[in-house]
């Protein structure tokens, strides 16, 4: 028996109403495409499959609150893209390790012990200053400077406009400049 062709509206309505056939049809139509898309982002098939499965699971769990105003396909791609950004952000990147790498790049065998200690003290001040930023400034700043996200990606992951990201990072930089770490702030740029 051939399955009746379902429109996106039919799928969305069926999923919202808890229709498992609609959910399975959506899964069958989009799962492989989404895995291929996320694999291109993540470079890893198991991670791609996990992220896509998480999106589908969340759709089913939150089906009664599902708000898809445009295309289901676009909604799914945006959801897996955001899930990927969340995955990247939640990697256990230790900022201390990043600071260590920065210090290693700065330390010269010819520097005195006092100079090396001064570098460490200033890097600690930078880390403390970053941690004391207002929460949204800190998040935007870390995504930009530590994770290398573009403003557009930060805006998507934080669900704000690109202009707001620009404002938050500008504010963060202004606050950090006031800490007066002189020539050491360039490490963050």
């Amino acid at each position: 028996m051939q399955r009746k062709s379902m429109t996106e509206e039919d799928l969305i309505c069926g999923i919202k109403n808890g229709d498992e056939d609609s959910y399975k049809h959506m899964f069958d139509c989009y799962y492989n495409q989404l895995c291929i898309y996320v694999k291109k982002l993540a470079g890893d098939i198991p991670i791609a499959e996990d992220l896509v499965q998480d999106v589908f699971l969340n759709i089913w769990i939150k089906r009664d609150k599902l708000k898809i105003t445009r295309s289901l396909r676009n909604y799914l791609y945006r959801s897996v893209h955001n899930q990927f950004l969340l995955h990247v952000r939640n990697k256990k990147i230790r900022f201390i390790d990043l600071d260590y790498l920065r210090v290693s790049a700065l330390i010269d065998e010819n520097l005195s012990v006092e100079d090396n200690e001064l570098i460490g003290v200033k890097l600690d001040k930078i880390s403390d200053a970053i941690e004391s930023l207002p929460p949204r400034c800190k998040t935007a700043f870390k995504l930009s400077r530590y994770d290398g996200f573009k403003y557009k990606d930060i805006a998507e992951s934080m669900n704000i406009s690109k202009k707001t990201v620009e404002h938050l990072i500008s504010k963060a930089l202004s606050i950090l400049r006031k800490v007066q770490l002189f020539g050491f702030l360039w490490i963050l740029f």
Side-chain angles (χ1 to χ4, degrees):
M1 184 169 128
Q2 195 173 24
R3 182 185 287 184
K4 177 186 167 194
S5 178
M6 299 180 97
T7 66
E8 285 191 347
E9 291 80 21
D10 293 337
L11 285 176
I12 295 167
C13 186
I15 292 165
K16 283 183 177 183
N17 293 324
D19 179 37
E20 291 178 11
D21 288 335
S22 295
Y23 179 78
K24 182 172 177 4
H25 185 72
M26 176 189 64
F27 186 90
D28 291 343
C29 287
Y30 293 103
Y31 178 78
N32 288 332
Q33 297 170 35
L34 294 170
C35 284
I36 291 167
Y37 171 70
V38 178
K39 187 217 174 262
K40 289 178 185 175
L41 296 173
D44 186 286
I45 292 172
I47 288 175
E49 290 173 345
D50 286 348
L51 296 176
V52 172
Q53 288 171 10
D54 287 346
V55 167
F56 278 105
L57 180 61
N58 285 331
I59 288 172
W60 184 252
I61 290 170
K62 298 176 183 179
R63 65 187 173 272
D64 56 335
K65 296 174 186 156
L66 200 59
K67 292 181 183 174
I68 301 174
T69 56
R70 295 192 177 142
S71 158
L72 174 62
R73 181 184 183 281
N74 291 345
Y75 177 85
L76 291 170
Y77 273 87
R78 184 174 182 92
S79 295
V80 296
H81 184 81
N82 289 341
Q83 190 71 18
F84 170 74
L85 294 177
L86 184 64
H87 167 74
V88 170
R89 188 173 7 140
N90 288 336
K91 279 185 178 177
K92 301 297 181 197
I93 299 173
R94 296 182 36 90
F95 297 118
I96 294 168
D97 295 340
L98 293 173
D99 287 341
Y100 172 77
L101 293 174
R102 288 187 180 106
V103 170
S104 297
L106 292 173
I107 293 177
D108 183 345
E109 291 177 8
N110 297 324
L111 291 178
S112 68
V113 172
E114 293 81 22
D115 290 337
N116 286 332
E117 288 176 1
L118 180 62
I119 290 170
V121 167
K122 288 193 177 192
L123 284 171
D124 287 342
K125 285 184 181 180
I126 291 172
S127 290
D128 290 345
I130 292 169
E131 290 304 317
S132 69
L133 290 171
R136 287 177 12 133
C137 283
K138 179 171 58 172
T139 300
F141 185 83
K142 284 182 174 182
L143 287 171
S144 171
R145 296 315 196 257
Y146 284 109
D147 296 331
F149 282 22
K150 294 180 181 175
Y151 285 10
K152 178 185 170 205
D153 295 330
I154 296 169
E156 286 179 12
S157 73
M158 292 180 70
N159 202 23
I160 56 177
S161 73
K162 186 177 170 188
K163 259 309 191 210
T164 303
V165 172
E166 291 170 4
H167 173 74
L168 289 172
I169 291 178
S170 176
K171 182 178 176 181
L173 291 172
S174 175
I175 292 168
L176 292 173
R177 280 186 199 101
K178 290 178 185 174
V179 176
Q180 296 182 357
L181 294 170
F182 305 105
F184 277 82
L185 210 51
W186 67 268
I187 296 170
L188 299 173
F189 308 100

